[in-house]
Amino acid sequence: FGIPQCEFTLYLPNAITPSHQDGLNDYFQLTNHDDIGQCTVYIYDRQGNLVYSSNDKYFKWDGRVKGKLHRNVIYNYAIYYTNRFGRELNAKGSLLVM
């Protein structure tokens, strides 16, 4: 018998407040890096245009698109990753930049 492979949950915010710069919810980022092998993240605007992507599991997106912060805008994201056992998983959702 081997050790059972327990699933884990990605902890991602559904809103960020980069305009406040108070150290709380300033970035869209993963918080449980140790449970993730490889990671690719894509963030899209409401029209489906890619506005951010990264292959780094330590990514930090501050809500800026082409250097400009747009407040009160909803973006969609897709994250493709492997867990520490090599299993391929994904997460999709929306994010409000306030």
Side-chain angles (χ1 to χ4, degrees), residues 12-67:
L12 294 163
N14 59 8
I16 59 173
T17 56
S19 59
H20 294 153
Q21 289 297 307
D22 57 3
L24 301 172
N25 299 316
D26 292 338
Y27 299 99
F28 180 69
Q29 62 186 351
L30 296 170
T31 58
N32 50 341
H33 308 105
D34 295 337
D35 295 324
I36 297 172
Q38 296 178 344
C39 173
T40 302
V41 59
Y42 300 101
I43 299 176
Y44 301 92
D45 64 17
R46 297 294 273 178
Q47 291 76 36
N49 299 309
L50 181 66
V51 297
Y52 177 84
S53 67
S54 176
N55 290 320
D56 184 359
K57 69 180 180 179
Y58 299 103
F59 73 90
K60 290 172 76 172
W61 184 57
D62 65 358
R64 294 183 191 279
V65 176
K66 297 181 182 177

Short mmCIF file of all heavy atoms in Angstrom, two decimals, residues 12-67:
data_model
loop_
_atom_site.label_atom_id
_atom_site.label_comp_id
_atom_site.label_asym_id
_atom_site.label_seq_id
_atom_site.Cartn_x
_atom_site.Cartn_y
_atom_site.Cartn_z
N LEU A 12 -7.30 31.10 -3.96
CA LEU A 12 -7.21 32.25 -4.84
C LEU A 12 -8.26 33.27 -4.43
O LEU A 12 -9.39 32.91 -4.11
CB LEU A 12 -7.48 31.84 -6.29
CG LEU A 12 -6.45 30.92 -6.93
CD1 LEU A 12 -7.01 30.26 -8.16
CD2 LEU A 12 -5.22 31.73 -7.27
N PRO A 13 -7.89 34.55 -4.45
CA PRO A 13 -8.89 35.57 -4.12
C PRO A 13 -9.90 35.73 -5.25
O PRO A 13 -9.60 35.43 -6.41
CB PRO A 13 -8.05 36.84 -3.96
CG PRO A 13 -6.87 36.61 -4.85
CD PRO A 13 -6.59 35.13 -4.77
N ASN A 14 -11.09 36.20 -4.93
CA ASN A 14 -12.06 36.52 -5.98
C ASN A 14 -12.15 38.02 -6.18
O ASN A 14 -12.89 38.49 -7.03
CB ASN A 14 -13.43 35.92 -5.69
CG ASN A 14 -14.02 36.40 -4.39
OD1 ASN A 14 -13.48 37.29 -3.74
ND2 ASN A 14 -15.12 35.81 -4.00
N ALA A 15 -11.37 38.77 -5.40
CA ALA A 15 -11.26 40.22 -5.56
C ALA A 15 -9.90 40.66 -5.03
O ALA A 15 -9.37 40.08 -4.08
CB ALA A 15 -12.37 40.93 -4.80
N ILE A 16 -9.34 41.69 -5.68
CA ILE A 16 -8.10 42.30 -5.18
C ILE A 16 -8.28 43.81 -5.16
O ILE A 16 -9.11 44.36 -5.87
CB ILE A 16 -6.86 41.90 -6.03
CG1 ILE A 16 -7.02 42.32 -7.49
CG2 ILE A 16 -6.58 40.42 -5.91
CD1 ILE A 16 -5.76 42.12 -8.34
N THR A 17 -7.49 44.46 -4.31
CA THR A 17 -7.57 45.92 -4.15
C THR A 17 -6.18 46.53 -4.32
O THR A 17 -5.62 47.09 -3.37
CB THR A 17 -8.15 46.28 -2.77
OG1 THR A 17 -7.34 45.65 -1.76
CG2 THR A 17 -9.58 45.82 -2.62
N PRO A 18 -5.61 46.46 -5.52
CA PRO A 18 -4.26 46.98 -5.71
C PRO A 18 -4.17 48.50 -5.56
O PRO A 18 -3.09 49.03 -5.30
CB PRO A 18 -3.90 46.55 -7.12
CG PRO A 18 -5.20 46.34 -7.80
CD PRO A 18 -6.15 45.89 -6.74
N SER A 19 -5.27 49.19 -5.68
CA SER A 19 -5.23 50.65 -5.56
C SER A 19 -5.01 51.09 -4.12
O SER A 19 -4.58 52.22 -3.89
CB SER A 19 -6.52 51.25 -6.10
OG SER A 19 -7.64 50.76 -5.39
N HIS A 20 -5.25 50.23 -3.15
CA HIS A 20 -5.07 50.60 -1.74
C HIS A 20 -3.63 50.44 -1.27
O HIS A 20 -3.20 51.14 -0.37
CB HIS A 20 -5.98 49.77 -0.84
CG HIS A 20 -7.43 50.06 -1.05
ND1 HIS A 20 -8.39 49.14 -0.80
CD2 HIS A 20 -8.07 51.14 -1.51
CE1 HIS A 20 -9.58 49.65 -1.08
NE2 HIS A 20 -9.41 50.86 -1.53
N GLN A 21 -2.89 49.49 -1.83
CA GLN A 21 -1.49 49.23 -1.46
C GLN A 21 -1.31 49.20 0.06
O GLN A 21 -0.43 49.84 0.62
CB GLN A 21 -0.55 50.25 -2.10
CG GLN A 21 -0.39 50.07 -3.59
CD GLN A 21 0.23 48.75 -3.97
OE1 GLN A 21 1.28 48.39 -3.48
NE2 GLN A 21 -0.43 48.01 -4.85
N ASP A 22 -2.18 48.43 0.74
CA ASP A 22 -2.09 48.30 2.19
C ASP A 22 -1.53 46.95 2.61
O ASP A 22 -1.52 46.61 3.78
CB ASP A 22 -3.47 48.50 2.82
CG ASP A 22 -4.52 47.55 2.27
OD1 ASP A 22 -4.18 46.68 1.45
OD2 ASP A 22 -5.69 47.68 2.67
N GLY A 23 -1.06 46.16 1.63
CA GLY A 23 -0.51 44.85 1.94
C GLY A 23 -1.55 43.75 2.06
O GLY A 23 -1.22 42.60 2.29
N LEU A 24 -2.82 44.09 1.89
CA LEU A 24 -3.90 43.11 1.96
C LEU A 24 -4.58 43.03 0.60
O LEU A 24 -5.08 44.03 0.09
CB LEU A 24 -4.92 43.51 3.03
CG LEU A 24 -4.39 43.66 4.44
CD1 LEU A 24 -5.46 44.25 5.35
CD2 LEU A 24 -3.93 42.31 4.97
N ASN A 25 -4.61 41.86 0.03
CA ASN A 25 -5.28 41.63 -1.25
C ASN A 25 -4.81 42.56 -2.37
O ASN A 25 -5.60 42.99 -3.20
CB ASN A 25 -6.80 41.74 -1.09
CG ASN A 25 -7.34 40.73 -0.12
OD1 ASN A 25 -6.95 39.58 -0.16
ND2 ASN A 25 -8.22 41.16 0.76
N ASP A 26 -3.53 42.88 -2.38
CA ASP A 26 -2.98 43.74 -3.42
C ASP A 26 -2.71 43.00 -4.73
O ASP A 26 -2.61 43.63 -5.77
CB ASP A 26 -1.66 44.37 -2.96
CG ASP A 26 -1.85 45.36 -1.82
OD1 ASP A 26 -2.97 45.87 -1.66
OD2 ASP A 26 -0.88 45.60 -1.09
N TYR A 27 -2.59 41.67 -4.67
CA TYR A 27 -2.22 40.87 -5.83
C TYR A 27 -3.10 39.65 -5.99
O TYR A 27 -3.57 39.08 -5.01
CB TYR A 27 -0.77 40.37 -5.72
CG TYR A 27 0.24 41.47 -5.63
CD1 TYR A 27 0.75 41.86 -4.40
CD2 TYR A 27 0.69 42.11 -6.77
CE1 TYR A 27 1.68 42.88 -4.30
CE2 TYR A 27 1.63 43.13 -6.69
CZ TYR A 27 2.12 43.51 -5.45
OH TYR A 27 3.03 44.51 -5.37
N PHE A 28 -3.26 39.22 -7.23
CA PHE A 28 -3.85 37.92 -7.53
C PHE A 28 -2.68 36.96 -7.59
O PHE A 28 -1.79 37.11 -8.43
CB PHE A 28 -4.59 37.97 -8.87
CG PHE A 28 -5.23 36.67 -9.26
CD1 PHE A 28 -6.32 36.20 -8.56
CD2 PHE A 28 -4.75 35.95 -10.33
CE1 PHE A 28 -6.93 35.00 -8.93
CE2 PHE A 28 -5.34 34.76 -10.71
CZ PHE A 28 -6.43 34.29 -10.00
N GLN A 29 -2.66 35.99 -6.67
CA GLN A 29 -1.53 35.08 -6.58
C GLN A 29 -1.94 33.81 -5.84
O GLN A 29 -2.96 33.79 -5.14
CB GLN A 29 -0.37 35.74 -5.84
CG GLN A 29 -0.71 36.10 -4.40
CD GLN A 29 0.41 36.88 -3.74
OE1 GLN A 29 1.49 37.03 -4.27
NE2 GLN A 29 0.14 37.38 -2.54
N LEU A 30 -1.14 32.78 -6.01
CA LEU A 30 -1.34 31.54 -5.27
C LEU A 30 -0.73 31.68 -3.89
O LEU A 30 0.30 32.35 -3.74
CB LEU A 30 -0.67 30.37 -6.00
CG LEU A 30 -1.24 30.02 -7.37
CD1 LEU A 30 -0.32 29.02 -8.06
CD2 LEU A 30 -2.63 29.46 -7.22
N THR A 31 -1.32 31.04 -2.92
CA THR A 31 -0.75 31.09 -1.57
C THR A 31 -0.17 29.76 -1.13
O THR A 31 0.63 29.73 -0.21
CB THR A 31 -1.81 31.53 -0.55
OG1 THR A 31 -2.92 30.63 -0.60
CG2 THR A 31 -2.28 32.95 -0.83
N ASN A 32 -0.54 28.67 -1.78
CA ASN A 32 -0.01 27.35 -1.39
C ASN A 32 0.92 26.81 -2.47
O ASN A 32 0.66 25.80 -3.10
CB ASN A 32 -1.15 26.38 -1.07
CG ASN A 32 -2.22 26.31 -2.14
OD1 ASN A 32 -2.35 27.20 -2.96
ND2 ASN A 32 -2.99 25.25 -2.13
N HIS A 33 2.06 27.48 -2.64
CA HIS A 33 3.03 27.12 -3.68
C HIS A 33 3.63 25.73 -3.49
O HIS A 33 3.94 25.06 -4.46
CB HIS A 33 4.20 28.12 -3.70
CG HIS A 33 3.77 29.54 -3.77
ND1 HIS A 33 3.83 30.36 -2.68
CD2 HIS A 33 3.27 30.27 -4.78
CE1 HIS A 33 3.40 31.55 -3.03
NE2 HIS A 33 3.05 31.53 -4.29
N ASP A 34 3.82 25.30 -2.26
CA ASP A 34 4.50 24.04 -1.99
C ASP A 34 3.74 22.83 -2.51
O ASP A 34 4.33 21.78 -2.74
CB ASP A 34 4.77 23.88 -0.49
CG ASP A 34 5.72 24.93 0.03
OD1 ASP A 34 6.50 25.49 -0.77
OD2 ASP A 34 5.70 25.19 1.25
N ASP A 35 2.44 22.95 -2.68
CA ASP A 35 1.62 21.84 -3.16
C ASP A 35 1.55 21.76 -4.67
O ASP A 35 0.91 20.86 -5.21
CB ASP A 35 0.19 21.97 -2.61
CG ASP A 35 0.14 21.83 -1.10
OD1 ASP A 35 0.91 21.02 -0.56
OD2 ASP A 35 -0.66 22.54 -0.47
N ILE A 36 2.19 22.69 -5.36
CA ILE A 36 2.07 22.79 -6.81
C ILE A 36 3.42 22.51 -7.48
O ILE A 36 4.45 23.01 -7.02
CB ILE A 36 1.57 24.20 -7.20
CG1 ILE A 36 0.17 24.39 -6.63
CG2 ILE A 36 1.58 24.38 -8.70
CD1 ILE A 36 -0.34 25.78 -6.78
N GLY A 37 3.38 21.73 -8.55
CA GLY A 37 4.57 21.49 -9.35
C GLY A 37 4.72 22.60 -10.37
O GLY A 37 5.23 23.67 -10.08
N GLN A 38 4.18 22.38 -11.55
CA GLN A 38 4.21 23.39 -12.60
C GLN A 38 2.89 24.13 -12.63
O GLN A 38 1.86 23.60 -12.20
CB GLN A 38 4.48 22.74 -13.94
CG GLN A 38 5.83 22.08 -14.02
CD GLN A 38 6.04 21.39 -15.36
OE1 GLN A 38 5.12 21.15 -16.11
NE2 GLN A 38 7.30 21.08 -15.65
N CYS A 39 2.93 25.35 -13.15
CA CYS A 39 1.73 26.18 -13.16
C CYS A 39 1.78 27.15 -14.33
O CYS A 39 2.82 27.74 -14.61
CB CYS A 39 1.65 26.96 -11.85
SG CYS A 39 0.34 28.18 -11.79
N THR A 40 0.64 27.29 -15.00
CA THR A 40 0.48 28.31 -16.03
C THR A 40 -0.84 29.02 -15.77
O THR A 40 -1.86 28.37 -15.54
CB THR A 40 0.45 27.69 -17.45
OG1 THR A 40 1.66 26.97 -17.65
CG2 THR A 40 0.32 28.76 -18.51
N VAL A 41 -0.80 30.35 -15.75
CA VAL A 41 -2.00 31.13 -15.49
C VAL A 41 -2.27 32.05 -16.67
O VAL A 41 -1.34 32.60 -17.26
CB VAL A 41 -1.88 31.95 -14.18
CG1 VAL A 41 -0.70 32.90 -14.22
CG2 VAL A 41 -3.16 32.71 -13.89
N TYR A 42 -3.55 32.18 -17.01
CA TYR A 42 -4.01 33.09 -18.06
C TYR A 42 -5.13 33.94 -17.48
O TYR A 42 -6.04 33.41 -16.83
CB TYR A 42 -4.57 32.32 -19.26
CG TYR A 42 -3.58 31.39 -19.91
CD1 TYR A 42 -3.62 30.02 -19.65
CD2 TYR A 42 -2.62 31.87 -20.79
CE1 TYR A 42 -2.72 29.16 -20.25
CE2 TYR A 42 -1.71 31.01 -21.39
CZ TYR A 42 -1.77 29.65 -21.11
OH TYR A 42 -0.87 28.80 -21.70
N ILE A 43 -5.07 35.25 -17.72
CA ILE A 43 -6.12 36.16 -17.27
C ILE A 43 -6.65 36.90 -18.49
O ILE A 43 -5.88 37.42 -19.30
CB ILE A 43 -5.61 37.13 -16.20
CG1 ILE A 43 -5.11 36.35 -14.98
CG2 ILE A 43 -6.71 38.13 -15.81
CD1 ILE A 43 -4.49 37.19 -13.89
N TYR A 44 -7.99 36.93 -18.60
CA TYR A 44 -8.66 37.51 -19.77
C TYR A 44 -9.61 38.62 -19.34
O TYR A 44 -10.22 38.55 -18.26
CB TYR A 44 -9.50 36.44 -20.48
CG TYR A 44 -8.70 35.26 -20.96
CD1 TYR A 44 -8.54 34.13 -20.16
CD2 TYR A 44 -8.10 35.27 -22.21
CE1 TYR A 44 -7.80 33.04 -20.59
CE2 TYR A 44 -7.37 34.18 -22.67
CZ TYR A 44 -7.22 33.06 -21.84
OH TYR A 44 -6.49 31.98 -22.27
N ASP A 45 -9.76 39.61 -20.21
CA ASP A 45 -10.77 40.63 -19.95
C ASP A 45 -12.13 40.10 -20.39
O ASP A 45 -12.24 38.98 -20.88
CB ASP A 45 -10.41 41.97 -20.62
CG ASP A 45 -10.37 41.92 -22.13
OD1 ASP A 45 -10.92 40.97 -22.75
OD2 ASP A 45 -9.80 42.85 -22.73
N ARG A 46 -13.16 40.91 -20.22
CA ARG A 46 -14.53 40.46 -20.51
C ARG A 46 -14.75 40.20 -22.00
O ARG A 46 -15.68 39.49 -22.37
CB ARG A 46 -15.55 41.49 -20.01
CG ARG A 46 -15.52 41.68 -18.52
CD ARG A 46 -15.96 40.49 -17.78
NE ARG A 46 -17.40 40.48 -17.62
CZ ARG A 46 -18.06 39.51 -17.05
NH1 ARG A 46 -17.44 38.48 -16.56
NH2 ARG A 46 -19.36 39.56 -16.95
N GLN A 47 -13.91 40.74 -22.86
CA GLN A 47 -14.03 40.50 -24.29
C GLN A 47 -13.25 39.26 -24.73
O GLN A 47 -13.22 38.93 -25.90
CB GLN A 47 -13.55 41.73 -25.08
CG GLN A 47 -14.45 42.95 -24.97
CD GLN A 47 -14.30 43.66 -23.64
OE1 GLN A 47 -13.21 43.75 -23.08
NE2 GLN A 47 -15.41 44.16 -23.11
N GLY A 48 -12.58 38.62 -23.80
CA GLY A 48 -11.81 37.42 -24.11
C GLY A 48 -10.38 37.67 -24.52
O GLY A 48 -9.69 36.76 -24.95
N ASN A 49 -9.91 38.91 -24.37
CA ASN A 49 -8.52 39.24 -24.71
C ASN A 49 -7.60 38.83 -23.56
O ASN A 49 -7.88 39.14 -22.40
CB ASN A 49 -8.37 40.74 -24.97
CG ASN A 49 -9.22 41.20 -26.11
OD1 ASN A 49 -9.19 40.64 -27.19
ND2 ASN A 49 -10.02 42.22 -25.87
N LEU A 50 -6.51 38.19 -23.90
CA LEU A 50 -5.52 37.82 -22.90
C LEU A 50 -4.82 39.07 -22.40
O LEU A 50 -4.24 39.82 -23.19
CB LEU A 50 -4.49 36.85 -23.50
CG LEU A 50 -3.41 36.35 -22.56
CD1 LEU A 50 -4.00 35.48 -21.46
CD2 LEU A 50 -2.36 35.57 -23.35
N VAL A 51 -4.87 39.33 -21.09
CA VAL A 51 -4.25 40.53 -20.53
C VAL A 51 -3.04 40.20 -19.65
O VAL A 51 -2.24 41.09 -19.34
CB VAL A 51 -5.26 41.38 -19.74
CG1 VAL A 51 -6.37 41.89 -20.65
CG2 VAL A 51 -5.84 40.62 -18.56
N TYR A 52 -2.90 38.92 -19.25
CA TYR A 52 -1.77 38.53 -18.41
C TYR A 52 -1.58 37.03 -18.52
O TYR A 52 -2.56 36.27 -18.59
CB TYR A 52 -2.02 38.90 -16.94
CG TYR A 52 -0.92 38.46 -16.01
CD1 TYR A 52 0.21 39.24 -15.83
CD2 TYR A 52 -1.01 37.27 -15.30
CE1 TYR A 52 1.22 38.83 -14.98
CE2 TYR A 52 -0.01 36.86 -14.44
CZ TYR A 52 1.11 37.63 -14.29
OH TYR A 52 2.11 37.24 -13.46
N SER A 53 -0.34 36.59 -18.53
CA SER A 53 -0.04 35.16 -18.46
C SER A 53 1.31 34.97 -17.79
O SER A 53 2.16 35.87 -17.79
CB SER A 53 -0.03 34.52 -19.86
OG SER A 53 1.04 35.02 -20.62
N SER A 54 1.48 33.80 -17.18
CA SER A 54 2.73 33.48 -16.51
C SER A 54 2.88 31.97 -16.41
O SER A 54 1.88 31.25 -16.27
CB SER A 54 2.76 34.10 -15.11
OG SER A 54 3.94 33.72 -14.43
N ASN A 55 4.12 31.51 -16.45
CA ASN A 55 4.43 30.10 -16.23
C ASN A 55 5.11 29.90 -14.88
O ASN A 55 5.71 28.86 -14.63
CB ASN A 55 5.35 29.58 -17.34
CG ASN A 55 4.63 29.49 -18.66
OD1 ASN A 55 3.47 29.09 -18.71
ND2 ASN A 55 5.30 29.85 -19.73
N ASP A 56 5.04 30.89 -14.02
CA ASP A 56 5.70 30.87 -12.72
C ASP A 56 4.66 30.67 -11.62
O ASP A 56 3.72 31.46 -11.52
CB ASP A 56 6.43 32.19 -12.51
CG ASP A 56 7.23 32.25 -11.23
OD1 ASP A 56 7.22 31.27 -10.46
OD2 ASP A 56 7.86 33.29 -11.00
N LYS A 57 4.82 29.65 -10.80
CA LYS A 57 3.84 29.42 -9.73
C LYS A 57 3.90 30.51 -8.65
O LYS A 57 3.01 30.60 -7.83
CB LYS A 57 4.01 28.03 -9.12
CG LYS A 57 5.28 27.82 -8.32
CD LYS A 57 5.31 26.41 -7.78
CE LYS A 57 6.55 26.12 -6.97
NZ LYS A 57 6.52 24.74 -6.45
N TYR A 58 4.91 31.33 -8.69
CA TYR A 58 5.02 32.46 -7.75
C TYR A 58 4.52 33.77 -8.38
O TYR A 58 4.89 34.84 -7.91
CB TYR A 58 6.46 32.62 -7.27
CG TYR A 58 6.98 31.40 -6.56
CD1 TYR A 58 7.83 30.51 -7.20
CD2 TYR A 58 6.60 31.13 -5.25
CE1 TYR A 58 8.30 29.37 -6.55
CE2 TYR A 58 7.06 29.99 -4.60
CZ TYR A 58 7.91 29.13 -5.25
OH TYR A 58 8.37 28.01 -4.60
N PHE A 59 3.70 33.68 -9.42
CA PHE A 59 3.22 34.88 -10.10
C PHE A 59 2.48 35.80 -9.12
O PHE A 59 1.91 35.35 -8.13
CB PHE A 59 2.30 34.51 -11.27
CG PHE A 59 0.95 34.00 -10.86
CD1 PHE A 59 -0.10 34.87 -10.68
CD2 PHE A 59 0.74 32.65 -10.66
CE1 PHE A 59 -1.36 34.41 -10.29
CE2 PHE A 59 -0.50 32.18 -10.27
CZ PHE A 59 -1.56 33.06 -10.08
N LYS A 60 2.52 37.09 -9.42
CA LYS A 60 1.77 38.11 -8.66
C LYS A 60 1.26 39.13 -9.67
O LYS A 60 2.04 39.87 -10.25
CB LYS A 60 2.69 38.81 -7.65
CG LYS A 60 3.12 37.94 -6.50
CD LYS A 60 4.16 38.63 -5.64
CE LYS A 60 3.54 39.67 -4.77
NZ LYS A 60 4.47 40.22 -3.78
N TRP A 61 -0.05 39.15 -9.90
CA TRP A 61 -0.62 40.10 -10.84
C TRP A 61 -1.30 41.20 -10.06
O TRP A 61 -2.14 40.95 -9.19
CB TRP A 61 -1.61 39.41 -11.77
CG TRP A 61 -2.16 40.32 -12.83
CD1 TRP A 61 -1.44 41.03 -13.75
CD2 TRP A 61 -3.52 40.62 -13.08
NE1 TRP A 61 -2.29 41.75 -14.57
CE2 TRP A 61 -3.59 41.51 -14.17
CE3 TRP A 61 -4.72 40.22 -12.48
CZ2 TRP A 61 -4.77 42.01 -14.67
CZ3 TRP A 61 -5.91 40.71 -12.99
CH2 TRP A 61 -5.92 41.60 -14.08
N ASP A 62 -0.96 42.45 -10.38
CA ASP A 62 -1.49 43.60 -9.65
C ASP A 62 -2.70 44.24 -10.33
O ASP A 62 -3.10 45.34 -9.96
CB ASP A 62 -0.40 44.64 -9.43
CG ASP A 62 0.11 45.25 -10.73
OD1 ASP A 62 -0.35 44.85 -11.82
OD2 ASP A 62 0.98 46.13 -10.65
N GLY A 63 -3.28 43.57 -11.31
CA GLY A 63 -4.47 44.09 -11.97
C GLY A 63 -4.21 45.07 -13.09
O GLY A 63 -5.13 45.59 -13.69
N ARG A 64 -2.95 45.32 -13.38
CA ARG A 64 -2.62 46.28 -14.44
C ARG A 64 -2.66 45.61 -15.81
O ARG A 64 -2.21 44.49 -15.98
CB ARG A 64 -1.24 46.89 -14.22
CG ARG A 64 -1.19 47.73 -12.97
CD ARG A 64 0.17 48.40 -12.81
NE ARG A 64 0.29 48.99 -11.50
CZ ARG A 64 -0.22 50.16 -11.16
NH1 ARG A 64 -0.87 50.87 -12.06
NH2 ARG A 64 -0.09 50.63 -9.94
N VAL A 65 -3.20 46.35 -16.76
CA VAL A 65 -3.24 45.92 -18.15
C VAL A 65 -2.53 46.99 -18.96
O VAL A 65 -2.93 48.16 -18.94
CB VAL A 65 -4.70 45.74 -18.65
CG1 VAL A 65 -4.71 45.37 -20.12
CG2 VAL A 65 -5.42 44.70 -17.80
N LYS A 66 -1.43 46.59 -19.61
CA LYS A 66 -0.59 47.53 -20.37
C LYS A 66 -0.17 48.70 -19.49
O LYS A 66 -0.17 49.85 -19.92
CB LYS A 66 -1.31 48.02 -21.63
CG LYS A 66 -1.61 46.90 -22.61
CD LYS A 66 -2.29 47.42 -23.85
CE LYS A 66 -2.60 46.27 -24.78
NZ LYS A 66 -3.33 46.70 -25.96
N GLY A 67 0.16 48.40 -18.24
CA GLY A 67 0.67 49.41 -17.31
C GLY A 67 -0.38 50.25 -16.62
O GLY A 67 -0.05 51.07 -15.77
#
